[in-house]
Amino acid sequence: MWKSPFGFFSAFCFLFILNAQSASANRDLRSCNETDYYYEYTECDSTGSRWRVAVPHSQGSCSDLPPPVRGTDCSFSCVAGEFLEMSTQQCTPCASGSYSLGSGVRFDQWDTIPTGFTSMATYMDPGPSRDDTQACNSSSWTPQGTYLESSRDECTVSLVYAVHLEKQGSVSFSYQYPDNNIFFEFYVQNEQCQEMAQADDQKWIKLTTNGEWVTHMVNLKSGTNILYWRTTGIPVGGKMIKPVLLKNIQIEGVAYTSECFPCRPGWFSPSAGSSSCQSCPRNTTSTKGASSCSPCPDTQYSQGGSAECKERPPCSEKDYFQIHTACDNEGKTRVLYRWVEPKICVENVTGAVTLPPTGEREPCPPCNPGYHNSNNSICFPCPPGTHSDGTTDCKECPAGTEPVLGYEYKWWNVLPSNMKTSCFNLGNSNCDDMNGWEVAGDHIRSGAGGSDNDYLILNLHVPGFKLPTSLAGMTGGEFGRITFVFETICSADCELYFMMDVNRKSTTVVESWEGTKEKQSYTHSMTKNASVSYTWAFQRTNQAMDVRRYVSDVVKLYSVSVTNVQDGAASGCRACALLSQNSQRSGSSCIPCPAGYYIDTGTNHCKECPPNTYLAGHHTYGRDACVPCGPGSSSNKDHSRCYSDCSFFHTENNHTWIFDLSSLSAVASLTNGPSFTSKGTKYLHNFNISLCGHEGKQAAVCTDNVTDLSTKDMQGDSAQFVNSVESFICQSTIIPADGRGFRAALASQSISLADTFLGATVDSVLDGVNAKPELFPENTKEVPDINFFYKSTQTTASCERGRSAVITVRCNPELTERGKLLVPSSCPAGTCDGCTFHFLWESESGCPRCTGDDHHQIEGACKGGTQEILYMWNEPKLCTKGVSLPVRSSAPCEAIALWLKVGGGGGAFMAVLLISLTCYFWKKNKRLQYKYSRLVMSANKECELPAADSCALTEGEEPEDDVVYSQKPSLLGKLRAIANKGNNGESSESVQLNSSQSERWVWG
């Protein structure tokens, strides 16, 4: 058996110590024979030499060990099929029932973890108080007989093996890695735990398809090499993680192997000098180290490579299946029943069933569209330029039309020539020769397989795509699309995968469905012209079982349609563009329309689409092919897409806001979280967002990076093992670096959330997508929010209408031009339903451009004939850029202002008017006093008062000016009294009275 050099002893130290101890103490012991000891080589010295020494199985049991002899060179090794016989130091062929790799070692039996391997589990991010040992003590690599299975949880589990190479060698292993929700890396360290230099594509393992075994090889340097196979699950998607499978680990470059490896049970080696063992056929078994296999009794059976035979069970309905025969010359078919192969059941026991009888002959289904039947048994594709619906002969397309090429399969009497079916199992080859799918008239269904955990595979190859002539001038868009209708009927954990392999580089899972699914349709678009293989893989259960339990679990595929196929058949014709009548090349042949042109229905001539409309990728006939762009967007030159130039206009209440969002055009990133799995694994969601893109082209990129994204050469070959998506909005799941070997944050599960721009508007709903403004804090400003709407054209199992997204741009003058991105607090993952994502982008750039209405003027006092004028923004300021504040200015002014002059003139006029009115009313008052005096005098003379209504005047009497004396003299009276004072020495006041009678003077 091969021995690791780590246990070797130093040659002379071991020899002298052993001889010194045995020479004196063991002189009376018997002499050693060949069964009492074994040979080993010492470690190599600096010259590359070594010694062969004898090592006793039990020290002190015998004496007279063979003396040390010079051994072979350290670089010596035997060829495959031979081992080094240590007694003779010669290469000897392995006996039958065993094998050898010569200078290598192979591990292909995984009933237990072989000696020398260690499985270690640690927790990625335990935190300061978390016991990672308790969290991951049940996580490990698990032996499954012929392969090793990784852990499925979020613990980091490493499979470690140390080997010492005397010369440069290599390590190779076969693996399956179908799930990107688990990280899988392989790396090598030296004896000082320093990692060897490796390229990224050697360290990080490429994904595989379901059921595909891939071999990975890494060169090793001489000396000590510590090999690590490490996995870390990221269970954040809701689905169960598919484990990594490992088998056939082979290491080349060891110094020698001193023993051959026996064949494991169920395998055998028929001849001497074998470098490998062979699997026992079905219904035979073998023991360990067998050179041949023994047949099972008639009442027992075994699978290939089995170590024991099992009793055959009674036959049941699960042991047979039905098929449809090919059409005969009369166009008839019938249903047949076949036993599931290999047949392990018996029919002649109690309770067993027999095969049902063959069904009656019935008419074959018609040919598929694009094909015709020539002899009632075989369908042939229509010749170029012709078409058929499958029930009639092929006909030429009318003038002005062209055939619609593609694949349209909806009748399944025989499997189309470009489709293949197969069966594959991870642990055995029992179903390798079986059909994975069977035709059944109006559908094709999964076959029985060899066991319930088989992968039943159906493959459709498309050599390439060819756009119709009328679409040949278009730029961008889709080249073709595949649509299929299916249903699954399951009683266990079945799963259906739909996968795609472009240019035969790598197969990726496009979508998957678990459990029973009702009859439904799924569509996937092809956005580049390339050769592609579409694959459907169905697995009834991922648990390996010897007894068939879920044979009745089935997937049915009713129809498959692929458009614009390069060598497809035509099921119909479509209108195409013709040359105009005044063209020098007039005729009826179809011509491609220039980019952005549609086919006029009246003339079949090309006409350019109106402004701000775009052409749908699969329809150009008629004016309605030009689809209007959404609000806030315009079409590009080729009318292939609508885009936003990061400007926006909105009018409300006779006021127009102009927004310049160019500062938000660069790709922005938002990382929210952290979130935690059920075991507490921390992960983040990272969103890359391109608000406007580049004239409608997506600018945000998300990558499943296993190294540093910033240094990834996306154009190099290393990009083949990196999954990246380009979109307006994309999302990646980020696992932070934890210091346990991951030197950078890891990104996984990159998906596109929005690859089509719908439009920008202040409304909350557009094309069925709801912005749900209630998810964010209310906008209290006068400036409205702008909602940018997007959608993804690819549908998913959980989002039948595809994903959609809304970015709400809000004015916040307190932030910078770039501002900040937010997700709803109630939905920290950015989505509340998993299909529509919401973002709020607050920034200064979300405010409208400033206009003259956004500031006001302030005039200063007039000083020295000059007056200063200032301008201030209206508060709060809700605008940016646009017009600037006018600079401070000055204007001439006068000391007395015009208003003061006007006021003074008006005051003077009012004063004159008031004086005039005063004089008028004073004179009026004097007349009233005179009349009253005469009334009093008349009353004193005649002792009676006149009537009140006469005011002491007779009818027709005119008032006269009289002098009346009163006790309270007037100013004029006082002056007269002073003048007359000297005559009579008494103070008196005289008033002249005019009367019609004789004139009198009254003194008082």
Side-chain angles (χ1 to χ4, degrees), residues 544-850:
M545 294 179 292
D546 294 331
V547 181
R548 300 300 301 271
R549 296 181 180 177
Y550 308 116
V551 178
S552 58
D553 291 0
V554 66
V555 56
K556 297 180 179 180
L557 199 60
Y558 291 94
S559 65
V560 177
S561 174
V562 186
T563 63
N564 302 336
V565 180
Q566 196 170 53
D567 64 347
S571 59
C573 302
R574 63 182 293 165
C576 63
L578 302 177
L579 291 171
S580 59
Q581 295 181 356
N582 55 1
S583 173
Q584 297 179 358
R585 296 169 44 229
S586 60
S588 61
S589 59
C590 295
I591 62 169
C593 285
Y597 284 68
Y598 69 96
I599 303 174
D600 183 74
T601 56
T603 62
N604 272 31
H605 295 159
C606 298
K607 287 189 176 181
E608 185 176 5
C609 282
N612 296 329
T613 61
Y614 71 98
L615 280 172
H618 53 277
H619 174 52
T620 59
Y621 189 69
R623 171 63 177 77
D624 57 348
C626 303
V627 182
C629 292
S633 64
S634 57
S635 61
N636 60 357
K637 179 180 178 181
D638 296 335
H639 294 274
S640 60
R641 62 178 62 90
C642 297
Y643 69 96
S644 170
D645 59 359
C646 270
S647 63
F648 185 76
F649 303 86
H650 176 64
T651 301
E652 183 177 333
N653 297 329
N654 295 326
H655 180 74
T656 300
W657 284 287
I658 302 175
F659 296 84
D660 180 8
L661 307 178
S662 57
S663 299
L664 307 180
S665 60
V667 176
S669 295
L670 168 65
T671 302
N672 64 342
S675 300
F676 298 88
T677 63
S678 58
K679 275 194 174 183
T681 296
K682 181 171 67 174
Y683 66 93
L684 310 169
H685 283 311
N686 180 77
F687 299 94
N688 288 338
I689 298 175
S690 173
L691 184 68
C692 305
H694 294 156
E695 291 191 1
K697 296 181 180 179
Q698 305 94 333
V701 179
C702 291
T703 306
D704 286 353
N705 67 316
V706 292
T707 56
D708 186 2
L709 264 181
S710 61
T711 61
K712 176 65 62 182
D713 181 10
M714 298 302 294
Q715 304 299 325
D717 294 337
S718 61
Q720 294 181 6
F721 69 95
V722 177
N723 176 40
S724 63
V725 295
E726 295 183 6
S727 182
F728 286 100
I729 306 173
C730 57
Q731 172 191 286
S732 296
T733 300
I734 305 296
I735 309 299
D738 68 337
R740 290 193 177 96
F742 293 108
R743 284 142 307 275
L746 306 179
S748 177
Q749 304 170 357
S750 295
I751 57 175
S752 170
L753 304 180
D755 52 28
T756 303
F757 175 64
L758 297 179
T761 176
V762 297
D763 298 332
S764 59
V765 179
L766 180 64
D767 286 354
V769 182
N770 194 331
K772 293 187 177 180
E774 66 273 9
L775 294 177
F776 297 104
E778 183 181 359
N779 182 12
T780 59
K781 301 178 178 64
E782 295 181 358
V783 178
D785 292 340
I786 308 173
N787 297 314
F788 282 71
F789 292 85
Y790 310 86
K791 71 174 182 180
S792 176
T793 56
Q794 299 294 351
T795 60
T796 65
S798 56
C799 304
E800 295 181 356
R801 300 183 58 187
R803 298 184 180 96
S804 57
V806 182
I807 302 176
T808 300
V809 178
R810 177 172 293 179
C811 170
N812 191 338
E814 299 177 0
L815 299 178
T816 62
E817 287 187 344
R818 293 287 292 174
K820 62 180 181 180
L821 275 164
L822 302 172
V823 294
S825 58
S826 58
C827 306
T831 177
C832 301
D833 58 5
C835 295
T836 303
F837 291 77
H838 302 271
F839 304 91
L840 175 63
W841 198 338
E842 290 187 290
S843 69
E844 182 188 20
S845 300
C847 301
R849 294 176 63 90
C850 295

Side-chain angles (χ1 to χ4, degrees), residues 161 181 240:
Y161 184 76
N181 290 325
M240 179 179 292

Side-chain angles (χ1 to χ4, degrees), residues 389-408:
D389 61 359
T391 61
T392 61
D393 294 335
C394 299
K395 300 177 182 179
E396 291 187 359
C397 289
T401 64
E402 60 180 333
V404 180
L405 299 179
Y407 298 149
E408 188 174 353

